[in-house]
């Protein structure tokens, strides 16, 4: 069981939620959920959206800490955290440079591959390259090299927006169009089939520790945006239905991702376990969803922790880090 030991020193927290990304609604739901949990833990909380008044607020009425719960590019590419550092306000979460590396899936995969972690083979294709080299020729080369089935996704983004499973070569073109609608670069990977699990990692000041893995079984077989945020569309099992060996390996991979990418405080790694028992790293999220249907709160509960208490400990750790 994960325990927290941080001495709390913060009393007023600004939760950032909303923004203008495709994941605005998810961010708002996360913000409301965490704000309520923090209040129950005795913390004074104000939920703020990104707007022209935010910097004035942070300068003139400084909170003890900021908790960014912005999803999508605006919240996970490090830019907002750069601003928080400019105004010298403590915040929960990873540094901007680490956010940028984690948010770019091809870069994160390359880092984890160098760290000895299995990650699916694939190729990252900017839209311009795809168009200028000839879409049909490029797609033929992908199928010949990577093989079928494939999964196509935006290279930068979350909540499975723009992701498509491709089982026939004829469906690849449509999948590429869908991915490009969410970003300039598409990541085409070999589809790993098996058990999908999510493993959160937390660090309240005594080193990163994996929470219990959550296994995910979506009604349609694909854990897409609808399956993630529609109550009843997905069945979760926590702790995941895994052997002790596989549970330990999933925890090891999640912590390895957290450490190799230089992340802080909280992350969530998405993994696949194939039929031979190999654990594959797919991606890591530096601002994971904390809604009623998100996996992190499920893992927090399975670890015997209270979400509000844990978030308050992360806030306290961030304040102490800033003071040091």
């Amino acid at each position: 069981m994960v325990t927290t030991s941080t001495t709390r020193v913060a009393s007023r927290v600004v939760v950032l939620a909303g923004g203008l990304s495709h994941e605005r609604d998810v961010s708002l739901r996360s913000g409301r959920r965490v704000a309520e949990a923090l209040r129950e833990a005795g913390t004074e909380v104000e939920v703020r959206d990104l707007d022209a008044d935010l910097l004035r607020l942070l300068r003139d009425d400084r909170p003890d800490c900021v908790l960014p719960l912005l999803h999508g590019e605006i919240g996970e590419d490090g830019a907002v955290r750069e601003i928080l550092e400019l105004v010298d306000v403590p915040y929960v979460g990873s540094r901007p440079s680490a956010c940028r590396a984690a948010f770019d899936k091809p870069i994160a995969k390359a880092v984890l591959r160098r760290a000895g972690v299995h990650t699916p083979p694939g190729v990252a294709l900017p839209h311009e390259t795809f168009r200028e080299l000839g879409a049909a020729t490029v797609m033929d080369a992908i199928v010949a090299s990577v093989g079928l089935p494939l999964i196509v996704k935006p290279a930068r983004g979350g909540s499975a927006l723009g992701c498509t499973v491709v089982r026939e070569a004829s469906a690849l073109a449509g999948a590429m169009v869908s991915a490009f609608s969410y970003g300039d670069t598409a990541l085409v990977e070999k589809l790993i089939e098996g058990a999908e699990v999510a493993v959160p990692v937390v660090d309240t000041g005594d080193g990163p520790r994996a929470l219990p893995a959550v296994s995910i079984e979506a009604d349609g077989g694909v854990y897409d945006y609808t399956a993630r945020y529609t109550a009843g569309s997905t069945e979760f099992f926590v702790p995941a239905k895994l052997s002790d060996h596989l549970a330990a390996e999933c925890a090891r991979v999640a912590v390895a991702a957290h450490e190799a990418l230089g992340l802080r405080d909280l992350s969530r790694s998405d993994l696949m376990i194939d039929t031979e028992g190999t654990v594959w790293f797919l991606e890591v999220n530096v601002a994971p969803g904390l809604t009623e249907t998100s996996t992190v709160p499920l893992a927090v509960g399975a670890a015997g922790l209270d979400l509000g208490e844990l978030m308050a400990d992360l806030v306290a750790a961030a304040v102490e880090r800033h003071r040091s």
Side-chain angles (χ1 to χ4, degrees):
M1 177 183 294
V2 177
T3 58
T4 57
S5 57
T6 302
T7 300
R8 293 182 191 155
V9 293
S11 60
R12 179 169 169 266
V13 174
V14 168
V15 171
L16 292 183
L20 297 177
S21 78
H22 297 292
E23 299 174 69
R24 174 179 172 81
D25 180 61
V26 179
S27 174
L28 290 171
R29 289 166 59 185
S30 290
R32 288 192 295 266
R33 173 84 182 276
V34 171
E36 180 181 355
L38 280 169
R39 291 183 184 116
E40 291 176 355
T43 302
E44 180 185 347
V45 183
E46 179 180 359
V47 180
R48 297 283 305 194
D49 207 331
L50 289 187
D51 55 38
D53 292 328
L54 180 61
L55 286 181
R56 179 193 56 76
L57 166 75
L58 296 178
R59 286 197 178 104
D60 299 345
D61 189 18
R62 291 174 61 87
D64 293 303
C65 189
V66 172
L67 181 54
L69 294 179
L70 301 161
H71 304 320
E73 185 165 6
I74 195 167
E76 298 177 61
D77 67 354
V80 169
R81 298 167 201 236
E82 294 265 26
I83 298 300
L84 294 176
E85 293 194 355
L86 281 177
V87 296
D88 197 32
V89 174
Y91 64 90
V92 172
S94 299
R95 295 290 307 275
S97 58
C99 290
R100 286 190 288 270
F103 188 61
D104 193 302
K105 296 181 182 68
I107 290 177
K109 283 164 59 69
V111 171
L112 269 293
R113 190 176 292 114
R114 288 197 297 271
V117 172
H118 294 288
T119 186
V123 59
L125 285 172
H127 185 262
E128 289 184 0
T129 303
F130 184 70
R131 184 183 65 246
E132 291 176 4
L133 292 181
T137 303
V138 172
M139 288 189 294
D140 287 344
I142 292 172
V143 172
S145 176
V146 182
L148 293 169
L150 299 164
I151 185 166
V152 183
K153 61 185 79 171
R156 307 172 85 236
S159 290
L161 289 166
C163 294
T164 308
V165 172
V166 175
R167 298 189 181 278
E168 298 180 358
S170 59
L172 182 54
M176 298 295 291
V177 170
S178 179
F180 286 138
S181 68
Y182 288 94
D184 294 332
T185 301
L187 175 62
V188 186
E189 290 181 324
K190 178 71 176 176
L191 178 68
I192 305 298
E193 300 192 84
E196 184 167 3
V197 298
V199 184
V201 172
V202 297
D203 184 354
T204 57
D206 53 358
R209 306 179 188 182
L211 298 182
V214 181
S215 62
I216 301 160
E217 296 183 8
D219 285 349
V222 179
Y223 191 42
D224 56 14
Y225 183 89
T226 300
R228 287 168 189 252
Y229 301 111
T230 302
S233 295
T234 300
E235 194 169 6
F236 302 100
F237 298 91
V238 56
K241 298 182 290 184
L242 302 173
S243 67
D244 290 345
H245 168 73
L246 279 178
E249 178 63 6
C250 288
R252 183 193 71 80
V253 170
V255 171
H258 190 94
E259 292 181 327
L261 289 162
L263 305 183
R264 297 191 312 197
D265 299 339
L266 175 66
S267 69
R268 188 206 68 226
S269 286
D270 297 335
L271 314 173
M272 290 295 298
I273 306 169
D274 67 20
T275 54
E276 296 181 354
T278 300
V279 177
W280 297 82
F281 169 84
L282 301 181
E283 60 185 86
V284 65
N285 195 308
V286 298
L290 295 167
T291 73
E292 298 79 1
T293 58
S294 298
T295 56
V296 172
L298 293 174
V300 169
L305 304 174
D306 175 82
L307 180 62
E309 297 283 339
L310 175 61
M311 300 308 292
D313 283 345
L314 290 174
V315 165
V319 172
E320 181 61 28
R321 180 171 60 224
H322 186 265
R323 286 180 175 176
S324 299

